């Protein structure tokens, strides 16, 4: 067994023991199910709590299944990102702070194995949570509203996961270069927010931005077809990911472990 | 045989030189202690030897060759060992063993062996979070030994322990000494005197004294006179500094240690002085300087 596998298994074991494998998917399921349920019951909810005058006729257009799922993804884009960043912020920094990173690196472990095992661990929890939550959301949507072709769900889920992978990779990077968990989370969220905002404001010039993944997701969900600029965004996102990972490894090498 | 040789090792942090170009070597099979006050650069030196810290300049040769990655030859116990507190002692050792390139079976077997050896067999299934300081130190020793390193480096292995834990770790080190080369840092001089073969004394980033314990003691040993008074006698002690045969007077409360150039005449004159002045003394002893005296001399110089 390579050292990478040993480290990856340790990441998995840690997430099982501290219940991350339980509560992060549960949060994604809850966030995903809430949207179709609340869209479906909206007239009743308004009726009960709205305090509308007698005789008001509520006529709400029922959203299409694709619209509901798009809302789910936009919730994942805010709360889901927040949860993922907060749960991943200490991935390297906490181990450096406690000194256990030094205990690992004192053995002949390649620096890349350490960082890449962390990355793989984050990817695993992110992808599992997203897919379970998204499928649960799809199930409730088809139950209550209308069925969306699973093919579209799958495609949009894959495209959306690229954006979340980008977010957790960024968290890993900041966790490597900074020490305080709080500042890692703050800076990561700030950067993610900045990228999203700049991308939506300067849409014309930002067709390469990783944040356009969210737009492409919506496109696939609604029309089933990919925008032509997807390939460009995909390639630059992968390139940025590689650069971030390589610099994380290089920076980690220079850090003084065991203080 | 020479196991490890450090040549012109320098480590600079910003503007401060933590280690200023040191040269030394470690013979195979010896137990070497690295002494020095806090801030002398001991830990920095050990980290460079362990491969965890890159020297600013200088080189480290292992068995006569420039080693690229020293980590596989070295077992290292940091001053404050840290663990995954959610793992059990056994799990941690197996994990570390596999990182040190043992296969799963070997790692399991070696972990059991070491747990037995450091007396943690009964606690092997407990979470490390619940271990006491002494138990963590012993687990740290076990993880350092897991891949049968050629050189075991221990950073202040006993400083944080109570007398009982200290005794345990020292006894273990004495056993380990039979199998592998040990380099450990300490500021407890008594421990160094007790188990080491060679000593290195560092001060302000430089090596002040090095050699085998016996030869260093031999070379720097001086006869001294130790006098203990019933009350303070500072006035008289200050006055004797003017005698030509007195080279140094150290006063610590009611005790004084006096280094003499000429023991035979010196002690006569001083004793006569004490009698004449009716100074109340409790003890008047002729002895040799200890490692502690030598250490103090180096550090204060």
């Amino acid at each position: 067994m390579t050292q990478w596998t040993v480290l990856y298994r340790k990441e998995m074991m840690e997430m099982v023991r501290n219940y991350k494998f339980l509560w992060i998917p549960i949060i994604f399921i809850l966030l995903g199910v809430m949207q179709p349920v609340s869209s479906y019951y909206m007239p009743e909810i308004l009726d009960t709590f709205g305090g509308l005058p007698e005789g008001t006729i509520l006529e709400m257009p029922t959203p299409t299944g694709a619209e509901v799922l798009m809302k789910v993804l936009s919730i994942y884009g805010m709360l889901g990102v927040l949860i993922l960043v907060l749960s991943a912020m200490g991935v390297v920094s906490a181990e450096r702070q406690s000194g256990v990173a030094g205990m690992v690196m004192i053995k002949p472990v390649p620096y890349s194995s350490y960082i890449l095992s962390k990355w793989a661990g984050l990817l695993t929890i992110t992808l599992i949570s997203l897919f379970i939550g998204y499928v649960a959301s799809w199930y409730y949507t088809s139950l209550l509203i209308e069925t969306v072709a699973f093919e579209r769900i799958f495609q949009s889920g894959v495209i959306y996961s690229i954006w979340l992978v980008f977010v957790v990779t960024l968290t890993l990077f900041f966790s490597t270069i900074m020490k305080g968990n709080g500042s890692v989370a703050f800076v990561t969220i700030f950067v993610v927010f900045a990228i999203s905002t700049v991308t939506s404001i300067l849409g014309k010039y930002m067709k390469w931005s990783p944040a356009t993944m969210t737009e492409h997701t919506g496109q696939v969900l609604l029309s089933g077809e990919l925008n032509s600029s997807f390939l460009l965004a995909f390639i630059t996102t992968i390139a940025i990911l590689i650069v971030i990972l390589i610099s994380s490894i290089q920076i980690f090498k220079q850090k003084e472990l065991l203080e | 045989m020479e196991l490890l040789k450090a040549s012109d090792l320098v480590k600079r942090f910003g503007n401060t030189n933590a280690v200023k170009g040191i040269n030394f070597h470690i013979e195979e099979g010896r137990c070497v202690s690295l002494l020095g006050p806090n801030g002398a650069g001991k830990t920095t030196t050990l980290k460079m030897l362990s491969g965890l810290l890159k020297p600013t300049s200088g080189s480290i040769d292992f068995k006569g060759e420039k080693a690229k990655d020293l980590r596989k030859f070295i077992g290292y116990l940091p001053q404050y060992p840290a663990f995954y507190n959610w793992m059990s002692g056994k799990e941690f050792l197996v994990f570390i063993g596999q990182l040190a390139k043992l296969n799963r079976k070997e790692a399991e077997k070696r972990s059991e062996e070491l747990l037995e050896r450091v007396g943690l067999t009964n606690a092997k299934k407990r979470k490390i979070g619940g271990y006491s300081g002494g138990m963590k130190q012993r687990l740290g020793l076990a993880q350092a030994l897991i891949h049968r390193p050629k050189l075991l480096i221990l950073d202040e292995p006993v400083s944080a322990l109570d007398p009982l834990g200290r005794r345990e770790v020292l006894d273990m080190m004495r056993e380990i000494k039979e199998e592998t080369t040990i380099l450990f840092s300490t500021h407890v001089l008594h421990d160094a005197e007790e188990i080491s073969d060679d000593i290195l004394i560092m001060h302000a980033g430089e090596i002040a004294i090095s050699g085998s314990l016996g030869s260093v003691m031999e070379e720097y040993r001086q006869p001294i006179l130790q006098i203990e008074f019933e009350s303070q006698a500072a006035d008289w002690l200050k006055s004797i500094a003017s005698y030509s045969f007195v080279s140094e007077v150290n006063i610590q409360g009611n005790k004084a240690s006096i280094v003499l150039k000429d023991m035979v005449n010196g002690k006569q004159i001083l004793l006569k002085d004490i009698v004449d002045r009716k100074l109340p003394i409790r003890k008047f002893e002729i002895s040799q300087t200890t490692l502690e005296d030598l250490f103090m001399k180096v550090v204060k110089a």
Side-chain angles (χ1 to χ4, degrees):
Chain A
M1 216 168 16
T2 64
Q3 290 147 308
W4 182 88
T5 331
V6 175
L7 287 167
Y8 177 70
R9 282 186 31 183
K10 176 246 140 199
E11 287 299 311
M12 292 297 111
M13 195 156 83
E14 184 166 17
M15 285 195 277
V16 169
R17 297 253 175 111
N18 62 20
Y19 303 110
K20 268 189 194 174
F21 255 125
L22 195 66
W23 65 264
I24 299 181
I26 286 181
I27 289 180
F28 271 79
I29 291 172
L30 287 179
L31 292 177
V33 168
M34 242 155 56
Q35 194 57 37
V37 170
S38 65
S39 309
Y40 180 74
Y41 288 108
M42 192 49 82
E44 278 90 337
I45 293 171
L46 281 181
D47 209 18
T48 318
F49 300 106
L52 296 168
E54 198 85 5
T56 309
I57 298 165
L58 274 173
E59 229 175 290
M60 299 185 83
T62 325
T64 64
E67 278 168 6
V68 170
L69 289 172
M70 267 185 73
K71 274 197 188 137
V72 169
L73 288 179
S74 90
I75 291 172
Y76 283 170
M78 291 187 294
L79 292 175
V81 161
L82 191 69
I83 299 288
L84 286 175
V85 170
L86 288 178
S87 79
M89 65 189 179
V91 64
V92 176
S93 64
E95 290 200 357
R96 271 182 59 213
Q97 232 166 15
S98 78
V100 74
M103 298 290 278
V104 169
M105 296 318 297
I106 200 70
K107 299 296 172 210
V109 177
Y111 289 83
S112 53
S113 296
Y114 182 85
I115 294 290
L116 292 178
S117 72
K118 294 273 176 202
W119 186 63
L122 290 180
L123 252 55
T124 309
I125 184 77
T126 304
L127 297 181
I128 287 181
S129 303
L130 175 66
F131 274 79
I132 291 182
Y134 199 38
V135 166
S137 171
W138 169 74
Y139 174 73
Y140 272 84
T141 307
S142 35
L143 214 60
L144 299 172
I145 295 161
E146 65 169 336
T147 307
V148 178
F150 189 75
E151 200 187 275
R152 284 195 190 177
I153 294 296
F154 184 75
Q155 286 172 345
S156 60
V158 168
I159 296 172
Y160 195 72
S161 66
I162 299 172
W163 169 240
L164 289 189
V165 166
F166 176 78
V167 170
V168 290
T169 310
L170 212 56
T171 317
L172 173 70
F173 174 72
F174 286 118
S175 190
T176 308
I177 64 174
M178 294 192 296
K179 257 194 150 176
N181 289 346
S183 46
V184 172
F186 178 79
V187 173
T188 310
I189 295 208
F190 179 78
V191 170
V192 169
F193 179 74
I195 292 176
S196 305
T197 314
V198 170
T199 303
S200 62
I201 292 173
L202 301 174
K204 237 201 282 178
Y205 308 101
M206 299 293 283
K207 292 217 183 308
W208 52 270
S209 159
T212 57
M213 285 301 158
T214 55
E215 291 161 27
H216 292 299
T217 310
Q219 191 81 24
V220 166
L221 208 49
L222 291 175
S223 69
E225 273 171 37
L226 266 177
N227 205 318
S228 58
S229 63
F230 173 74
L231 196 64
L232 173 71
F234 180 72
I235 291 170
T236 48
T237 306
I238 299 296
I240 293 173
L241 286 183
I242 292 172
V243 169
I244 293 178
L245 283 175
I246 291 176
S247 28
S248 298
I249 295 166
Q250 292 307 324
I251 291 167
F252 185 63
K253 251 184 218 174
Q254 305 303 323
K255 290 282 178 190
E256 195 186 344
L257 306 162
L258 285 178
E259 275 151 54
Chain B
M1 204 191 119
E2 198 178 84
L3 184 67
L4 183 141
K5 193 175 115 193
S7 328
D8 300 316
L9 219 49
V10 175
K11 184 68 199 180
R12 201 175 296 125
F13 295 109
N15 285 329
T16 47
N17 275 353
V19 174
K20 303 172 185 164
I22 56 175
N23 290 287
F24 65 90
H25 67 273
I26 292 169
E27 295 282 321
E28 197 159 6
R30 307 285 280 185
C31 177
V32 185
S33 59
L34 179 62
L35 308 172
N38 292 331
K42 298 191 296 280
T43 300
T44 309
T45 306
L46 294 184
K47 276 194 199 162
M48 286 193 283
L49 296 184
S50 71
L52 208 54
L53 195 64
K54 270 203 196 87
T56 308
S57 66
S59 65
I60 299 165
D61 295 349
F62 198 84
K63 287 198 165 168
E65 282 170 39
K66 247 201 189 79
K68 264 190 190 148
D69 193 353
L70 286 167
R71 295 181 295 175
K72 59 175 172 272
F73 306 114
I74 283 168
Y76 184 82
L77 173 65
Q79 191 168 359
Y80 307 106
F83 306 95
Y84 293 111
N85 287 334
W86 51 270
M87 281 190 187
S88 72
K90 168 95 188 278
E91 280 172 342
F92 187 79
L93 285 186
V94 174
F95 167 69
I96 287 287
Q98 286 175 299
L99 290 184
K101 293 184 174 164
L102 301 179
N103 66 37
R104 174 131 201 142
K105 248 195 195 144
E106 284 168 352
E108 296 258 0
K109 194 167 148 261
R110 185 85 180 124
S111 301
E112 289 291 348
E113 252 173 62
L114 285 167
L115 284 165
E116 173 81 45
R117 186 162 180 182
V118 300
L120 287 174
T121 306
N122 290 330
K124 69 179 180 186
K125 288 192 175 139
R126 272 166 51 193
K127 297 265 174 289
I128 299 172
Y131 279 21
S132 70
M135 290 164 88
K136 282 185 180 168
Q137 202 73 10
R138 283 182 281 154
L139 185 63
L141 206 54
Q143 67 80 28
L145 286 167
I146 196 126
H147 55 308
R148 301 179 197 277
K150 295 271 185 293
L151 172 65
L152 181 64
I153 298 181
L154 311 169
D155 193 2
E156 303 273 0
V158 295
S159 303
L161 300 178
D162 63 15
L164 192 67
R166 215 185 106 233
R167 178 60 29 217
E168 284 172 354
V169 171
L170 282 176
D171 287 344
M172 264 175 241
M173 283 169 68
R174 192 173 291 121
E175 258 177 54
I176 296 164
K177 197 172 132 175
E178 303 300 318
E179 298 159 25
T180 186
T181 313
I182 303 181
L183 170 65
F184 73 104
S185 74
T186 181
H187 50 238
V188 185
L189 298 162
H190 184 78
D191 298 342
E193 238 171 332
E194 195 181 317
I195 65 168
S196 55
D197 305 316
D198 298 327
I199 61 168
L200 295 164
I201 302 185
M202 274 189 90
H203 178 51
E206 281 162 9
I207 288 192
I209 292 171
S210 66
S212 78
L213 185 64
S215 71
V216 167
M217 294 298 286
E218 193 64 43
E219 191 179 334
Y220 293 92
R221 184 171 286 162
Q222 280 179 310
I224 54 166
L225 197 56
Q226 290 188 308
I227 310 175
E228 193 180 324
F229 299 92
E230 279 171 16
S231 57
Q232 296 253 353
D235 293 343
W236 176 70
L237 285 169
K238 269 175 203 144
S239 72
I240 61 166
S242 57
Y243 284 121
S244 60
F245 55 82
V246 173
S247 69
E248 216 182 308
V249 182
N250 288 308
I251 308 168
Q252 292 157 319
N254 289 348
K255 289 181 195 163
S257 52
I258 303 159
V259 184
L260 296 180
K261 281 177 198 138
D262 178 359
M263 184 54 82
V264 184
N265 293 320
K267 70 180 180 202
Q268 299 281 349
I269 295 168
L270 291 180
L271 202 52
K272 194 162 167 289
D273 243 22
I274 290 168
V275 175
D276 286 348
R277 289 169 188 246
K278 292 192 178 129
L279 290 168
I281 60 166
R282 198 177 279 154
K283 199 169 96 181
F284 187 90
E285 188 185 49
I286 292 152
S287 65
Q288 305 278 328
T289 48
T290 61
L291 191 55
E292 185 172 332
D293 297 311
L294 172 60
F295 181 80
M296 287 309 201
K297 203 168 134 190
V298 168
V299 171
K300 282 180 182 162

